């Protein structure tokens, strides 16, 4: 990684000129073009294949919209592809690294103002550099009674996560649903305030989501049609009461009846939050390492799993949900939840009083009330030198599907020598199945094997009708290819938008499988 | 209206050829090109200005996507502008009439299949011709325990209303939020299944809303980039209990404290449904006519208002909300609601047992549990030969704004000689202010005055930061012009999409102020 990386079809001379111009725009201290530690921060920390596939040529950190527009002008002139990140910390999907090597990363970390907190209407307006920690601490500092909904690692950004349609753990877990109001800079430098924000002095910009005319906010998510520079986000008023709980299920196959029993509770919001069903290993890996129970090669055998399960007093599945509201509502719902799931033999119910001191319960309880933390990262220590990546197919809240999808992934995973670590995040009618294999970062053969596994899983999932909601850089094209109905009509539609909105193809080439015309495979 | 209407810049000969070709596609009985009663059904029933401004040249009713594609090919060839309607019954905004005279209306009423009802996951999949009545009766027929959320007139269509981002009265009142999965035909005939529907055999097409990559569904709402031919819609499971209630407020200015007291109840879903605060006249006009209380010219004077209020036992404002859930939850929330609003002097609480027999209460109680009906239309009989139109600015759930917006509209309305009839539909953080003046359909001077009033209100509302969420055909351009931030950046963005996706400009020219390039004013 010491050679200079250049954008495709850009000469070293043009590149140097462009970088010099960028330095004039943002100040030399905010341009990172030397292949040193600064730029290394923009590499994929947990590459599946080779980090060089996603190595940026430089990074530039503008402080405002005006600087972004100037950078865009330079990029258009020299045809330099850019890759925008907000906080760039979602390491499981590639972090701050671009899909295509040679992109200049536009790092929005300096645009980190919290522009408004509205206590009355329960929303905030933030810039892309605002992390969950930032927003959370700001709210506490000003004495706000509003809750945030955060991603599991609290260093993630509100804007970046929302724009990538991430999911959290409170009743506001659907981050894009909680979004209201967006400012976006197009490739040509036009600044657009969407929806009600487009009415000058708008009274409802941050309270009414859709505005008038085509509602375009969604097309900027997971896409490369513009750079989001400001976002409104609805916040949850602190409820009068909160109780986290855990439910353990003794057998892997219990996921099927559990999910079926859960469906009406989710549909009717008896379980109002984005609750998680965590598998044994992911749950255990927060507190222990694999070596404590198994030192052999390949996936942990059943005997060791059973010992670990007993030792840690865990289930094959471990469900975390929460109650919100006045005591009598929580009492009512808790009784209903216990009644419902008691039909599963061996099910056990655990409260925060009982187990809140355990690291896994503690951080889950925090997440479900919007307290950001970094505990979840602990599971990468499952094996020495561990890295992680996510494979995330969607499912309806349906027991048979949950079991089938789990077995599909788990069996192949074990076959390829990895442990299954994963969870279902249950939203409303839908579940995010987040499979997070842990692998040895420095073992190229293991990473190659992992890539083959993931690639096979994409195909097998698609054959069963399962599409992923989000993906690591290395799988973007393949997964885009599985959204293929009618000769890839949706992808062709995306490409058409791309050609219209970014004819020079400078914005995030390859994001979600959308390439500018000249980079497309025929 | 007896002369033949032709699309702009299309010769009579080309038009006749195109119509003949359309007849070959759909059968002659499904093409209406003679200026007779059939085509009159596609005129604006309640025109503000002149119905001829929105007179179609013909209407054609395809039975499936294949026929739509063939109609599109004909339209592209002869450059004939089309205007799509689903059921075309939203008479308050122009009904089935096109924005631009001479368009051929593509009437999707024959595509009226209910493709799926999924009891387990609580959704339905419908074609555009399915009305709320259709879906409701189908659900009852099959013994479903799912509720719909309908527009006030039950003859409206599920797809059309959702695509126009309409609002209902149950907890699923935000129709576009409840949408999940869309099929759309682009101007070039490409059929796109959006989101998860793009995965062949998708397991989560109707349960997970966003899919992967840019989520484009929103850009087809209130727009003219494609024709929606299928929609998934999430339905509410029948709750264990339901109670409608009404709260009356004695004074106009009570709207301010009422809305402020309501805000936390809405934010925390103690009032979970899209509830309405109805003004005296709109409420009264369901049961009585103006002439019963006042036969003079101009707006009803305060003395007559007071008499009517007392006679009918109404408030200056009349709030309808509902409780959903088990009895103890409803008891809890009802106590909280009564406690909260009791702070307003003179407030009174009314239950369905007490007043459910009254027409206004009865139909509101139906709407809040998703039972479609046509009662609301009664208010057009407020004056003889009455017509109606809606002016609908948005507001945050904020008392001062509610009062200010009301007074702005009411004072101007009275000044122009009309009564104020209106309501606030309170969603979550936002309120739809629906002002619905009733006017004499056959009095051109009165209609001209009404147009001047509405036009002035658009400007005055915009100056105060209020944008309309939806509009009648006659105000589309003006209202589009108020979403003007940064030199109309959003409108220019919409135009760019239009040029890319529909270069011939055949789809719904002028919808939401979006015109094809060759029809734009410079």
């Amino acid at each position: 990684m010491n050679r200079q990386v250049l954008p495709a079809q850009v000469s070293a001379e043009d590149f140097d000129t462009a970088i010099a111009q960028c330095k004039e725009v943002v100040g030399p201290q905010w341009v990172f073009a030397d292949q040193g530690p600064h730029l290394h921060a923009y590499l994929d920390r947990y590459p599946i294949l080779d980090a060089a596939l996603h190595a940026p040529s430089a990074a530039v950190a503008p402080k405002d919209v005006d600087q972004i527009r100037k950078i865009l002008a330079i990029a258009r002139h020299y045809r330099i592809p850019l890759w925008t990140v907000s906080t760039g910390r979602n390491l499981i999907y590639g972090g701050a690294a671009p899909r295509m090597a040679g992109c200049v990363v536009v790092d929005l970390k300096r645009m980190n103002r919290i522009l408004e907190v509205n206590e009355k209407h329960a929303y905030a307006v933030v810039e892309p550099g605002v992390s969950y920690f930032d927003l959370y601490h700001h709210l506490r500092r000003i004495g706000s009674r509003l809750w945030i909904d955060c991603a599991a690692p609290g260093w993630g950004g509100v804007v970046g996560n929302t724009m990538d349609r991430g999911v959290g753990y409170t009743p506001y877990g659907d981050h894009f649903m909680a979004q209201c109001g967006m400012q976006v800079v197009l490739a040509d430098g036009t600044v657009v305030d969407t929806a009600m924000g487009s009415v000058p002095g708008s009274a409802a910009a941050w309270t009414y989501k859709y505005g008038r005319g085509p509602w375009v906010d969604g097309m900027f998510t997971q896409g490369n049609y513009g750079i989001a520079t400001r976002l409104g986000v609805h916040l949850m008023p602190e409820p009068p009461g909160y109780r986290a709980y855990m439910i353990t299920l003794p057998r892997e196959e219990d996921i099927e009846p559990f999910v079926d029993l859960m469906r009406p509770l989710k549909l009717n919001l008896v379980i109002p939050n984005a609750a998680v069903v965590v598998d044994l290993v992911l749950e255990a890996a927060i507190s222990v390492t694999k070596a404590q129970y198994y030192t052999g090669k390949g996936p942990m055998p059943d005997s060791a799993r059973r010992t670990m399960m007993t030792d840690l007093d865990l289930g094959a599945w471990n469900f975390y949900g929460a109650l919100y509201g006045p005591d009598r509502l929580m009492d009512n719902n808790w009784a209903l939840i216990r009644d419902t799931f008691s039909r599963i033999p061996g099910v056990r119910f655990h409260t925060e009083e009982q187990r809140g001191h355990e690291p896994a319960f503690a951080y889950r309880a925090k997440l479900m009330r919007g307290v950001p933390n970094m505990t979840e990262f602990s599971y990468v220590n499952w094996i020495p030198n561990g890295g992680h990546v996510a494979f995330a197919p969607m499912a309806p809240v349906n027991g048979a599907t949950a079991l089938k999808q789990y077995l599909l992934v788990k069996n192949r995973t074990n076959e390829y020598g990895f442990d299954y670590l994963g969870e279902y995040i249950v939203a409303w009618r839908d579940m995010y199945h987040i499979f997070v294999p842990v692998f040895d970062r420095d073992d190229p053969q293991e990473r190659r094997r992992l890539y083959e596994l993931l690639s096979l899983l994409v195909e097998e999932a698609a054959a069963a009708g399962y599409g992923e909601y989000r993906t690591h850089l290395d799988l973007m094209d393949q997964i885009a290819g599985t959204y293929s109905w009618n000769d890839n009509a949706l992808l062709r539609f995306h490409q058409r938008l791309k050609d219209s909105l970014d004819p020079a193809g400078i914005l995030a080439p390859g994001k979600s499988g959308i390439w500018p015309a000249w980079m497309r495979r025929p």
Side-chain angles (χ1 to χ4, degrees), chain A:
Chain A
M1 292 303 307
N2 287 319
R3 63 192 162 72
Q4 175 65 53
V5 177
L6 283 179
Q9 306 196 12
V10 175
S11 70
E13 200 184 341
D14 273 3
F15 182 73
D16 289 344
T17 313
I19 290 299
Q21 290 179 0
C22 283
K23 285 179 178 171
E24 275 171 46
V25 171
V26 300
Q29 72 275 35
W30 295 113
V31 176
F32 314 108
D34 297 325
Q35 298 294 318
H38 273 118
L39 200 49
H40 278 201
Y42 297 96
L43 291 177
D44 183 0
R45 203 80 64 88
Y46 302 124
I48 316 176
L49 296 168
D50 187 343
L53 290 170
H54 311 296
S57 56
V60 51
K63 77 169 168 58
D64 57 25
V65 166
D66 190 54
Q67 291 190 351
I68 290 176
R69 299 181 69 219
K70 286 175 178 153
I71 293 165
L72 286 168
I74 297 165
R76 286 195 306 273
H77 185 78
Y78 295 101
R79 297 251 163 173
I80 293 177
L82 307 175
W83 181 267
T84 308
V85 297
S86 300
T87 59
R89 299 299 183 103
N90 205 331
L91 305 189
I92 206 161
Y93 292 116
R99 167 67 187 85
M100 188 178 72
C103 282
V104 172
V105 175
V106 179
D107 183 347
L108 303 182
K109 66 184 170 191
R110 293 172 70 203
M111 296 175 64
N112 61 354
R113 289 179 301 167
I114 295 164
L115 298 163
E116 183 184 356
V117 171
N118 192 304
E119 196 73 17
K120 214 160 89 167
H121 296 290
Y123 67 78
V125 182
V126 297
E127 289 187 327
V130 176
S131 74
Y132 290 113
F133 281 125
D134 294 339
L135 182 56
Y136 175 79
H137 289 303
H138 177 77
L139 290 171
R140 297 298 77 82
R141 208 155 39 228
I142 64 174
S144 169
R145 303 196 63 175
L146 299 173
W147 282 12
I148 68 166
D149 185 290
C150 57
W155 65 7
V158 179
V159 173
N161 194 281
T162 304
M163 294 306 291
D164 227 27
R165 296 203 301 265
V167 60
Y169 305 92
T170 79
Y172 283 46
D174 179 344
H175 290 170
F176 183 57
M177 198 184 81
Q179 173 267 348
C180 181
M182 187 184 284
Q183 181 177 81
V184 71
V185 185
L186 303 180
D188 69 0
T190 307
V191 185
V192 180
D193 270 12
T194 67
M196 293 313 280
S198 173
V199 175
S202 176
W206 315 111
T207 48
Y208 179 62
K209 196 175 163 79
Y210 306 126
R212 174 221 55 91
W215 184 59
V216 298
D217 295 27
M219 63 184 281
F220 293 106
T221 62
Q222 289 195 6
N224 51 15
Y225 307 139
I227 297 175
T229 50
R230 191 171 66 196
L231 212 71
V233 54
H234 288 168
L235 302 174
M236 178 172 159
E238 181 184 304
Y242 169 76
R243 296 180 205 157
Y245 61 88
M246 177 196 193
I247 302 176
T248 51
L249 305 168
R251 292 164 299 271
E252 284 175 287
E253 58 270 29
D254 291 334
I255 187 84
E256 179 165 1
F258 185 79
V259 166
D260 283 332
L261 290 169
M262 177 163 48
R263 185 175 49 250
L265 300 181
K266 283 298 316 181
L267 274 175
N268 294 292
L269 304 178
V270 174
I271 300 173
N273 68 312
V276 285
V277 199
V278 188
D279 100 289
L280 170 66
V281 181
L282 177 54
E283 180 71 1
I286 301 299
S287 330
V288 300
T289 65
K290 184 173 187 175
Q292 291 175 251
Y293 291 92
Y294 180 65
T295 52
K297 282 221 165 263
M300 181 180 255
D302 281 350
S303 56
R305 284 172 61 94
R306 276 192 298 271
T307 310
M308 186 171 77
M309 197 160 107
T310 309
D311 266 17
L312 302 176
D313 194 15
L314 295 177
W317 294 102
N318 306 274
F319 176 74
Y320 287 103
L323 306 163
Y324 306 82
D327 276 325
R328 49 187 162 175
L329 177 64
M330 293 196 289
D331 291 344
N332 176 77
N333 288 356
W334 183 229
L336 197 52
I337 288 163
R338 290 184 65 113
D339 282 359
T340 302
F341 293 121
S342 289
R343 288 174 231 174
I344 300 175
V347 68
R348 290 189 306 129
F349 302 89
H350 315 264
T351 64
E352 197 167 357
E353 291 70 43
Q354 294 164 338
R355 304 192 64 169
H357 59 282
E358 298 178 23
F361 198 122
Y363 95 90
R364 293 287 183 183
K366 280 184 184 166
L367 290 180
M368 292 189 293
R369 64 172 195 267
V371 179
N373 61 81
M374 296 293 290
T375 305
E376 193 164 281
F377 262 112
S378 308
Y379 78 76
V380 299
N381 300 320
W382 178 240
I383 60 169
N385 198 38
H388 65 169
V389 65
F391 168 77
M394 296 301 300
V397 184
N398 189 43
T401 312
L403 182 61
K404 186 179 160 193
Q405 213 178 68
Y406 164 67
L407 290 176
L408 185 161
V409 175
K410 189 207 169 195
N411 290 339
R412 282 286 183 222
T413 297
N414 290 351
E415 188 185 316
Y416 275 72
F418 298 95
D419 290 312
Y420 174 91
L421 292 83
E423 66 187 7
Y424 284 99
I425 305 180
V426 189
W428 200 349
R429 285 165 179 79
D430 49 325
M431 304 198 296
Y432 302 75
H433 182 186
I434 317 285
F435 163 57
V436 286
V438 175
F439 59 95
D440 182 344
R441 287 192 281 166
D442 290 337
D443 183 339
Q445 277 192 318
E446 182 162 318
R447 279 160 43 195
R448 184 74 223 173
R449 210 153 21 93
L450 178 65
Y451 179 77
E452 283 165 19
L453 166 64
L454 294 173
S455 189
L456 181 62
L457 287 177
V458 170
E459 291 313 314
E460 294 189 332
Y466 310 140
E468 287 70 52
Y469 92 107
R470 200 173 174 193
T471 173
H472 183 273
L473 304 167
D474 280 331
L475 297 166
M476 270 182 187
D477 282 324
Q478 193 194 354
I479 287 177
T482 64
Y483 284 69
S484 61
W485 188 78
N486 192 20
D487 191 21
N488 301 296
L490 183 58
L491 183 60
R492 286 185 284 127
F493 181 67
H494 288 156
Q495 289 168 343
R496 196 151 156 187
L497 294 175
K498 184 67 178 168
D499 294 343
S500 163
L501 299 173
D502 178 18
I506 55 166
L507 287 181
K511 172 74 184 175
S512 294
I514 304 164
W515 294 92
W518 70 275
M519 298 184 199
R520 265 170 226 153
R521 281 173 292 182

